[in-house]
Amino acid sequence: MAEVDTAVIKPEMMKSYIWLQTADGSIQEVEQEVAMFCPLICDEIIQRGMGSSKNNAITLPQRVNPVMLSLVLDYCRFHQVIGRSNKERKSFDEKFIRMDTKRLCELTSAADSLQLKPLVDLTSRALARMIEGKTPEEIRETFHLPDDLTEEEKLEPLKNITDDPRIRLLNRLYARKRKELKERERLKNVEVEEECVDYRSVDDLLSFINGGNEDSKGVGTSKNKKKNRRRKDQQKNTSSNHAIETTHKKESNCLKSVHHDVEINNNLQSSPSERSKLQDIQDDMFSPQANFEDGDIDDEFDPAIQEKIDREVEDFERILNSDWPERMQEILSLGRERKPINGNGSLSRDG
Amino acid sequence: MGSEYEESRDIISNLPDELLCHILSFLPTKFAVGTSILSKRWRYLWASVPILDFDDELWLNPSTLVELEERIIMFQNFVDGVLRHSEVSCIKKFRLGYRDNNLDSVYSWICIALERRVQELDLHLLIDWGVELPPMFFICKTLVVVKLSCALFLDIPTTVWLPSLKALHLKSVEYSDDDSIQKLLSGCPVLEELVIEREERDNQWVVNVSNPSLKILRIFFFTDGFAHPYEQEDQDYKVVVDAPNLEYLSITDYLSKDYFVKDLPSLVKAFIDVEQDSEEFEESPHNGGISYHGPIYELLGRISNVKCLSLTGVTLDVSFLCPPILPTFHNMTCLEFLFIGGFNWDFLPNFLHSSPNLEALVIETVCKYPM
């Protein structure tokens, strides 16, 4: 397991010891073979010749206090023995990891500073298990996290990036593509659904670009709340699934108006958010929801407007061409032309 | 004291970003993204996690009331959204578990992952028909591990160049013709591990594995229990292996008839679990009696330089009538028999006689076949 550099010659009879100093100033002696299991200490010994005496004790990183050092060394002492079976090691790890959360976090930090990757992975996995499948309140309680996000911030999962025209265009193209796909779907289906009810694909975009509700809880949310409740009831309305018509007009309206009332999660908005499981939150967060101002809702799908929007999108597409690598364009248009795409250029993402 | 005290108890948030992202990387992306509403500190961390693990199973929760189609759309929107807003330009691992028949989404997601220099690609699709891989997949410079499972149709283009690919798992994949696997392998100069789990009617009669760098080869081929159209055909399933650097060979195959294995000078360990046709018996003047000359014994002959050999009861089952002619296993130090049910001791003496350097003999009765 450990890539211990065997250039260090160990006396056959006696174990050699190494001196380590923790941030609080205390110095201790540790068996060399155990300490060498930590890459950082290994480097100090071999490359810098440190640790051979009390005077040139190896100074350990700040995050390694005596308690943590003791734990780390326990881990090293067990795992540096070569003959152990995988079963034994796993069994040891399972018992070793049983400690309170605070200690687990400190140990992760200490192991990380000593570059002891197997221990970092072990503790990280344990911490991940404490997060997986829990509600936000449960997680906050486990780790004593402050509940310092505003309601808007909780609704807005990401930075506000409305300003980036590329993202906006990306979203348009996605929406357009999705609309095409849904149209294909619809053609397959017998029933023709109502067109004006569902704006899912647009919401979908908005839930990312525009972020949370422009209207904070206190101001003019009654409309939204009403829609929330209505939508909640409508959640079971599956008919709208098949007939998702993107109304580009709404799209452009909403994109232009910043922070338009996007309901990412009606559950979240009314305090039950805290009670709902993380799973549900995620579902709702990214699910498209109908939530436009009344003024926008009544639009039928006007072919003339559609044309206009198409032209607009095409214009943007041309602009896009000059900004982005061609490859990205191909992805967005989801064209199936089998042009060999050379190389594997990276998608330039400037944050 | 209140908030300060709380702050001092919030140890985890003091960990550096990289460590928090590392912790989040062990979570399915759904839960990683969910941490964005925990606190200010956690709001944007998920966007830097280089491992993306999407499984629509987490959305298809039968206990909730939302309809299946809605769930699928939610999932698609989620994946789209995460891909759009992830700030990771080099994806370490992209895993997708998906069971909807909307293949356009999958195609675009694969494209995006490839564009973002993905190193490990793990696609587990349970859909009715094959999804094709985008052309850029076959010339991707960054792929190191690829696991493809279920209903993927591999139409291999003429140019395949995967210069970083070290491990390839193909499970229940449908191929376009007999040359598919070989075309793929010829473009993998550093491939070390190949795992093929086959199904019948995948359009491969001859599995041709030829690769100079290959170290580990595992082949699985079972019947799927349905009627076999191939039985009417004259074609037999065959396996051909030409991998001079192979160190580990594992064949669990109940359908192929012939195994042509070229010399494997580096072979250390082999696991052979194959079912033999009882029609391979013939008269042999040597022993003055009936002996078995099936392909399995030719195979054993080709791998006679192996150090550790594991054989299952199924492999040896046919020869209960007469002792087989075995090659001498000069290097063999460890011999293992794995049986379900009874053990046939008849050929054990033969094996012992053929293994002059044997140090360990293991006989194991198992309830399941080891995979």
Side-chain angles (χ1 to χ4, degrees):
Chain A
M1 274 187 102
E3 313 283 10
V4 177
D5 194 322
T6 50
V8 177
I9 300 165
K10 288 185 276 194
E12 306 279 26
M13 291 284 113
M14 268 186 353
K15 269 193 190 168
S16 46
Y17 285 80
I18 283 295
W19 297 90
L20 302 173
Q21 179 173 29
T22 45
D24 63 338
S26 60
I27 300 179
Q28 50 182 285
E29 234 186 326
V30 178
E31 306 99 293
Q32 180 168 326
E33 59 186 3
V34 171
M36 294 267 277
F37 202 70
C38 297
L40 187 85
I41 297 177
C42 201
D43 280 347
E44 288 285 308
I45 295 174
I46 293 173
Q47 286 172 15
R48 296 184 53 209
M50 300 283 288
S52 50
S53 74
K54 229 178 186 175
N55 290 336
N56 71 339
I58 297 170
T59 316
L60 295 177
Q62 186 82 15
R63 297 184 264 161
V64 187
N65 59 41
V67 175
M68 288 302 120
L69 180 61
S70 164
L71 283 172
V72 171
L73 292 175
D74 285 343
Y75 180 86
C76 294
R77 197 167 289 116
F78 182 87
H79 281 285
Q80 58 93 19
V81 175
I82 298 178
R84 303 205 194 271
S85 69
N86 284 338
K87 211 176 174 184
E88 283 178 320
R89 291 183 194 271
K90 216 174 163 208
S91 176
F92 172 86
D93 284 349
E94 276 166 27
K95 291 197 200 97
F96 181 77
I97 213 64
R98 288 185 212 155
M99 58 182 78
D100 63 77
T101 315
K102 179 172 184 280
R103 209 164 253 216
L104 207 50
C105 294
E106 288 177 341
L107 185 56
T108 311
S109 183
D112 178 56
S113 63
L114 293 169
Q115 298 161 18
L116 189 52
K117 192 171 187 315
L119 183 54
V120 175
D121 284 349
L122 179 63
T123 51
S124 298
R125 278 179 200 271
L127 289 167
R129 281 195 292 273
M130 291 162 125
I131 296 174
E132 188 165 353
K134 301 262 169 43
T135 69
E137 312 84 61
E138 285 171 344
I139 299 175
R140 282 197 207 101
E141 206 183 301
T142 308
F143 294 106
H144 308 295
L145 301 176
D147 190 356
D148 57 4
L149 288 171
T150 63
E151 286 305 312
E152 289 95 8
E153 287 173 325
K154 282 182 191 162
L155 291 172
E156 173 198 351
L158 302 146
K159 290 186 260 242
N160 175 14
I161 42 181
T162 345
D163 298 339
D164 191 340
R166 295 178 299 178
I167 301 289
R168 243 183 300 161
L169 181 56
L170 243 171
N171 291 327
R172 278 186 196 228
L173 295 169
Y174 269 108
R176 194 180 182 217
K177 185 61 191 176
R178 202 169 289 116
K179 182 199 139 224
E180 282 169 30
L181 292 172
K182 291 296 172 268
E183 242 174 332
R184 262 187 258 155
E185 266 296 315
R186 192 170 60 89
L187 291 171
K188 292 183 203 162
N189 291 331
V190 179
E191 12 170 17
V192 177
E193 310 292 353
E194 255 192 28
E195 295 178 353
C196 57
V197 177
D198 201 309
Y199 309 105
R200 281 159 192 262
S201 51
V202 190
D203 292 328
D204 178 37
L205 311 172
L206 296 177
S207 68
F208 285 91
I209 349 162
N210 286 333
N213 270 315
E214 179 187 24
D215 305 310
S216 68
K217 260 194 160 166
V219 180
T221 45
S222 52
K223 230 196 291 180
N224 295 335
K225 278 204 168 134
K226 243 192 266 172
K227 278 188 245 163
N228 286 349
R229 258 180 264 125
R230 190 184 59 195
R231 192 174 330 105
K232 225 172 180 170
D233 299 331
Q234 277 179 357
Q235 271 239 301
K236 284 215 69 184
N237 180 8
T238 60
S239 61
S240 38
N241 275 320
H242 292 293
I244 293 172
E245 299 287 21
T246 308
T247 51
H248 288 283
K249 180 187 179 202
K250 283 165 201 22
E251 187 188 332
S252 47
N253 277 347
C254 286
L255 286 175
K256 283 170 196 154
S257 65
V258 178
H259 297 296
H260 219 60
D261 40 325
V262 174
E263 302 284 357
I264 298 187
N265 182 356
N266 45 353
N267 287 334
L268 273 182
Q269 205 193 32
S270 47
S271 64
S273 68
E274 295 300 315
R275 282 178 244 127
S276 56
K277 282 201 167 274
L278 219 58
Q279 264 192 358
D280 290 338
I281 285 172
Q282 281 323 295
D283 292 343
D284 297 324
M285 213 147 90
F286 294 97
S287 74
Q289 309 262 347
N291 73 30
F292 285 81
E293 304 271 46
D294 289 331
D296 295 329
I297 287 176
D298 58 359
D299 276 342
E300 288 288 319
F301 201 65
D302 187 342
I305 296 171
Q306 173 56 33
E307 239 181 278
K308 183 173 168 224
I309 302 303
D310 278 340
R311 257 182 280 122
E312 223 182 290
V313 177
E314 262 150 345
D315 285 337
F316 272 91
E317 268 179 310
R318 254 179 272 118
I319 299 171
L320 189 74
N321 270 330
S322 59
D323 270 358
W324 285 64
E326 203 183 273
R327 262 171 259 115
M328 190 61 196
Q329 181 57 23
E330 279 171 341
I331 293 168
L332 292 177
S333 60
L334 291 174
R336 301 297 191 91
E337 300 122 13
R338 298 213 167 252
K339 275 187 269 173
I341 297 163
N342 294 323
N344 186 44
S346 60
L347 180 68
S348 56
R349 311 263 304 165
D350 315 314
Chain B
M1 154 133 153
S3 66
E4 271 174 32
Y5 176 64
E6 279 301 315
E7 255 177 50
S8 69
R9 293 172 74 203
D10 177 12
I11 308 280
I12 194 171
S13 299
N14 290 335
L15 296 177
D17 280 3
E18 299 79 35
L19 264 186
L20 290 179
C21 285
H22 188 62
I23 294 169
L24 292 181
S25 71
F26 291 109
L27 294 170
T29 301
K30 183 177 171 138
F31 298 117
V33 173
T35 62
S36 60
I37 62 162
L38 289 177
S39 73
K40 278 188 165 31
R41 174 85 176 92
W42 288 79
R43 201 155 159 226
Y44 305 124
L45 287 172
W46 69 266
S48 305
V49 176
I51 293 182
L52 298 174
D53 181 351
F54 301 107
D55 197 328
D56 68 355
E57 222 176 8
L58 293 172
W59 269 258
L60 305 176
N61 186 347
S63 67
T64 60
L65 296 174
V66 182
E67 295 267 354
L68 184 71
E69 294 91 357
E70 272 191 54
R71 285 272 159 188
I72 288 169
I73 289 169
M74 279 188 205
F75 175 74
Q76 288 170 2
N77 291 332
F78 179 73
V79 177
D80 286 339
V82 171
L83 288 176
R84 243 178 282 150
H85 296 287
S86 166
E87 287 167 8
V88 176
S89 58
C90 294
I91 299 178
K92 279 208 192 126
K93 178 171 167 180
F94 183 89
R95 191 186 159 268
L96 176 66
Y98 190 70
R99 62 208 73 200
D100 183 56
N101 291 319
N102 178 351
L103 304 178
D104 290 327
S105 305
V106 179
Y107 192 89
S108 66
W109 295 336
I110 297 172
C111 287
I112 293 173
L114 293 169
E115 273 292 311
R116 307 229 187 125
R117 302 188 251 180
V118 62
Q119 291 173 16
E120 181 172 340
L121 185 65
D122 187 347
L123 302 175
H124 183 84
L125 310 175
L126 287 165
I127 51 187
D128 296 336
W129 52 82
V131 68
E132 294 183 22
L133 294 171
M136 66 166 82
F137 169 85
F138 297 100
I139 48 174
C140 177
K141 292 201 190 110
T142 55
L143 283 172
V144 177
V145 176
V146 170
K147 297 184 187 173
L148 304 176
S149 168
C150 296
L152 271 164
F153 182 68
L154 280 190
D155 190 9
I156 319 283
T158 337
T159 314
V160 175
W161 187 242
L162 299 161
S164 309
L165 193 65
K166 285 206 177 144
L168 177 62
H169 292 217
L170 300 168
K171 181 177 168 181
S172 304
V173 172
E174 198 182 317
Y175 306 94
S176 48
D177 56 42
D178 266 4
D179 291 332
S180 294
I181 291 184
Q182 196 39 49
K183 270 198 253 174
L184 195 54
L185 294 181
S186 61
C188 304
V190 299
L191 191 68
E192 290 182 7
E193 179 176 326
L194 176 63
V195 178
I196 303 177
E197 288 183 51
R198 296 185 57 191
E199 282 181 355
E200 292 176 82
R201 296 180 303 279
D202 61 355
N203 294 330
Q204 287 268 314
W205 289 109
V206 181
V207 168
N208 196 335
V209 175
S210 170
N211 185 288
S213 55
L214 201 63
K215 290 199 180 137
I216 298 173
L217 174 63
R218 285 184 227 260
I219 297 178
F220 297 90
F221 196 10
F222 310 113
T223 174
D224 54 15
F226 296 108
H228 311 158
Y230 83 88
E231 270 174 341
Q232 278 83 47
E233 309 210 25
D234 288 332
Q235 290 217 52
D236 287 335
Y237 289 110
K238 292 187 179 62
V239 175
V240 177
V241 177
D242 178 8
N245 275 312
L246 203 67
E247 291 172 12
Y248 179 73
L249 174 67
S250 166
I251 303 182
T252 302
D253 184 337
Y254 302 152
L255 290 166
S256 300
K257 298 273 188 221
D258 286 308
Y259 304 89
F260 299 107
V261 175
K262 295 221 178 124
D263 280 339
L264 303 172
S266 316
L267 196 65
V268 174
K269 202 162 189 269
F271 174 82
I272 310 290
D273 180 13
V274 299
E275 198 169 62
Q276 292 306 294
D277 216 324
S278 48
E279 289 155 21
E280 298 296 333
F281 292 94
E282 60 183 54
E283 302 275 340
S284 165
H286 300 283
N287 300 342
I290 303 168
S291 63
Y292 179 76
H293 289 285
I296 176 58
Y297 290 102
E298 283 172 30
L299 176 60
L300 287 179
R302 306 303 307 188
I303 61 172
S304 58
N305 56 323
V306 71
K307 292 207 178 91
C308 295
L309 181 63
S310 297
L311 299 171
T312 59
V314 174
T315 310
L316 299 161
D317 210 24
V318 178
S319 335
F320 66 93
L321 284 179
C322 56
I325 297 170
L326 286 174
T328 309
F329 297 100
H330 292 284
N331 298 332
M332 193 150 76
T333 54
C334 177
L335 177 60
E336 197 181 17
F337 293 111
L338 293 137
F339 284 85
I340 289 183
F343 173 62
N344 188 339
W345 299 92
D346 281 354
F347 39 78
L348 186 54
N350 284 1
F351 272 100
L352 293 176
H353 282 133
S354 310
S355 322
N357 296 314
L358 196 65
E359 288 170 19
L361 176 67
V362 178
I363 298 173
E364 213 178 300
T365 308
V366 296
C367 304
K368 273 187 191 175
Y369 277 111
M371 293 299 278

